Amino acid sequence: MTLARTWSVGLAGVHGALVEVEVDMAAGVPGVVLVGLPDAVVRQSVDRVRAAVVNAGGEFPLRRITIGLSPASMPKQGSGFDLALAAAVLAAAGAVPAQSVERLVLLGELGLDGSVRAIRGVLPAVLAAARAGHPQVVVPTANADEAALVEGVEVLAVGSLAQLVGHLAGRTRLGPHARGALPAPPDGPDLADVVGQTTGRRAVEVAAAGGHHLFLAGPPGAGKTMLAERLPGLLPSLDEEGALEVTAVHSIAGSLPAGAPLLTRPPFEAPHHSATMAALIGGGSGQIRPGALCRAHRGVLFMDEAPEFPRAVLDTLRQPLERGQVTIHRAAGSATFPCRALLVLAANPCPCASAAGDTACTCSPVERRRYRSRLSGPLLDRIDLRVELPPVTRAAWLDGLGDPEPTEVVARRVQQARAVAAERLAGTGLALNSQVPGRLLRERFALPRASLALAERALERGALSVRGFDRVQRVAWTLADLAGRTVPGADEVAEALGMRVQRAAA
């Protein structure tokens, strides 16, 4: 009886778990038994491995083979186990030394011709291997730059099974993969392209400075989409931890741009209004994958024509927006993804969507109410900024009154405001004004009662909920940070209140 073992990684959300691959060979009727909760893709890997070994010039053993994937209680999904299964089978058959694969972690899908193909989720898998103390990881050549982002792990890049066998047998040794220089992220659209819309420009600046969710309402051509697309450019670049976290999510989703193994800029996601709940939040019948909300983690999720989304789909955003993560449950297991994104909703004022605004509207009051009611009150209550954009005037468009500030200038103000907020919130575990809980607002960052008089009257007459009252205070702190003030005054509270109740009063 011959036994060999090696290692691979299974993924659950953005976290990886080491999987021990054991192969036992015994005399008897030739056949392969695969145990350890494999899904259909993993079960089919036996046929891929057999064909790959033969077409790579090897010989698949004609013996009774038992393959165990441990821990046996953890579901195994995806094609990333192929390379580990092939290495363990060859080690058990004596084609390569068994000790050469005992501590090795192998990731990759095999083609029938023996080629090693790229897989999703390499970054979180290599991170899991590093945490478990494994010094070497074998990955497909196409995933090598992504794997090399992890410090303390020697990455071996292989393009074929024959290349791996040569290395394990000692005939042709593979050197550690050296990561190339990261390409500079492409420049995004500039805020200077937005003509007029002083209110909208102010709203996106405040949203970026405090991490506040934003609702833009206005007629077609008012600049809602342009403002939303330029919002990520106002956000600071991702730090090392944030970049790895965002890259891991996109690696699992299979949405990493070609030639860019590390995402250093905040992502921007804009799903179509026909997107399903699984497409927006995440899911899938097999391996659970992140949706648009999770791919927008630490960036911007833009939902244009928001009333056209099914109401049930929109309402699924409520809990994830509050918690900053979403857990998706399936019969075979669950997966948790981070989703602390800045939400931007955009909507026309009514179904007819006249470019001239309300003056040319042909909708009845009932139609307008029905259209607006597609956005539920609980969802809107979680949005700090609600701004009505007027149609762009002829003077602003044709005469070009003044030179609009570019993204670079506004981004510097945003960066300074965030730095002030981070210094004030030091020791709380928070970094943005939008994250401050109500209790902390009242106990540690309480505003003078005189400054809150306007907001208190709005709360008393029902124009604000208690949650809305706290959100007005958070926005007021952001406005004060942008203005260089140490404590928000009545003017900041009034502006924050106007940005919140304007939509409700319209």
Side-chain angles (χ1 to χ4, degrees):
M1 182 173 67
T2 306
L3 178 68
R5 58 169 55 89
T6 189
W7 298 86
S8 191
V9 180
L11 294 175
V14 292
H15 302 290
L18 267 292
V19 174
E20 186 177 17
V21 179
E22 297 176 293
V23 173
D24 172 76
M25 289 191 184
V29 179
V32 179
V33 177
L34 182 60
V35 297
L37 286 185
D39 70 351
V41 177
V42 180
R43 286 196 297 270
Q44 293 167 356
S45 65
V46 172
D47 298 316
R48 290 194 297 273
V49 167
R50 180 185 288 110
V53 168
V54 173
N55 290 323
E59 183 177 345
F60 194 85
L62 295 177
R63 303 181 67 182
R64 179 173 177 80
I65 303 173
T66 302
I67 302 175
L69 305 177
S70 179
S73 59
M74 186 184 88
K76 319 300 187 301
Q77 300 171 330
S79 58
F81 297 99
D82 288 7
L83 203 58
L85 292 176
V89 168
L90 292 172
V96 298
Q99 63 270 21
S100 65
V101 298
E102 279 184 347
R103 295 289 296 163
L104 201 58
V105 176
L106 298 108
L107 308 166
E109 176 184 332
L110 284 173
L112 300 185
D113 59 352
S115 60
V116 181
R117 298 174 178 175
I119 60 171
R120 306 183 185 202
V122 164
L123 177 59
V126 177
L127 284 169
R131 286 193 296 267
H134 288 264
Q136 278 190 334
V137 178
V138 178
V139 300
T141 301
N143 295 124
D145 284 340
E146 180 185 344
L149 295 172
V150 182
E151 300 288 343
V153 175
E154 185 178 283
V155 176
L156 304 179
V158 295
S160 67
L161 181 59
Q163 188 179 9
L164 175 64
V165 171
H167 169 77
L168 297 177
R171 296 191 296 269
T172 55
R173 303 298 297 180
L174 295 173
H177 177 77
R179 189 186 73 197
L182 295 175
D187 294 331
D190 200 298
L191 195 60
D193 300 334
V194 181
V195 178
Q197 293 303 4
T198 305
T199 303
R201 293 172 62 92
R202 174 68 165 171
V204 295
E205 180 178 348
V206 174
H212 304 287
H213 302 313
L214 174 63
F215 179 33
L216 298 172
K224 304 185 293 295
T225 301
M226 291 185 69
L227 288 167
E229 289 174 343
R230 284 148 183 79
L231 181 52
L234 304 181
L235 302 176
S237 297
L238 301 173
D239 57 18
E240 182 178 357
E241 179 186 356
L244 287 175
E245 195 173 40
V246 171
T247 302
V249 172
H250 283 258
S251 176
I252 293 169
S255 57
L256 276 180
L262 183 68
L263 299 180
T264 58
R265 292 292 305 154
F268 178 79
E269 292 289 330
H272 189 260
H273 58 75
S274 62
T276 63
M277 196 176 299
L280 185 61
I281 302 297
S285 57
Q287 186 173 357
I288 301 174
R289 290 178 182 162
L293 174 62
C294 305
R295 296 195 303 272
H297 178 56
R298 294 182 182 264
V300 176
L301 174 65
F302 176 49
M303 304 183 72
D304 200 5
E305 305 293 347
E308 301 297 335
F309 283 81
R311 182 166 176 169
V313 172
L314 287 174
D315 282 343
T316 58
L317 295 172
R318 288 154 48 182
Q319 187 182 48
L321 288 176
E322 291 286 333
R323 296 189 175 183
Q325 65 178 26
V326 58
T327 300
I328 302 165
H329 296 274
R330 294 291 183 268
S334 63
T336 299
F337 298 101
C339 60
R340 196 168 292 283
L342 199 160
L343 175 66
V344 180
L345 301 179
N348 295 313
C350 61
C352 77
S354 171
D358 291 344
T359 57
C361 177
T362 60
C363 300
S364 68
V366 174
E367 288 176 316
R368 291 173 69 94
R369 283 197 301 270
R370 185 182 299 118
Y371 185 73
R372 292 184 177 184
S373 68
R374 296 179 185 177
L375 302 177
S376 68
L379 175 62
L380 289 177
D381 202 36
R382 288 166 167 81
I383 297 178
D384 297 347
L385 308 173
R386 311 176 195 175
V387 177
E388 294 275 356
L389 300 182
V392 178
T393 64
R394 182 199 62 82
W397 178 248
L398 298 179
D399 299 343
L401 300 178
D403 293 326
E405 284 185 317
T407 293
E408 182 181 1
V409 173
V410 181
R412 280 199 296 268
R413 286 202 301 269
V414 168
Q415 183 69 31
Q416 292 169 359
R418 285 190 169 218
V420 171
E423 183 178 355
R424 181 175 62 252
L425 297 171
T428 65
L430 307 171
L432 297 174
N433 291 322
S434 62
Q435 300 171 354
V436 181
R439 180 183 56 80
L440 200 60
L441 275 174
R442 292 182 287 274
E443 294 178 359
R444 183 169 170 179
F445 305 112
L447 301 187
R449 290 295 299 272
S451 301
L452 289 172
L454 215 74
E456 288 179 353
R457 285 200 295 271
L459 178 63
E460 185 176 355
R461 68 175 185 266
L464 272 183
S465 65
V466 174
R467 180 192 283 126
F469 186 80
D470 288 342
R471 292 182 181 276
V472 166
Q473 294 183 72
R474 295 185 187 117
V475 174
W477 274 108
T478 300
L479 293 170
D481 293 338
L482 286 169
R485 301 190 58 174
T486 56
V487 178
D491 291 342
E492 283 77 24
V493 173
E495 185 178 359
L497 185 63
M499 285 184 171
R500 181 167 182 84
V501 303
Q502 185 175 8
R503 173 67 180 173

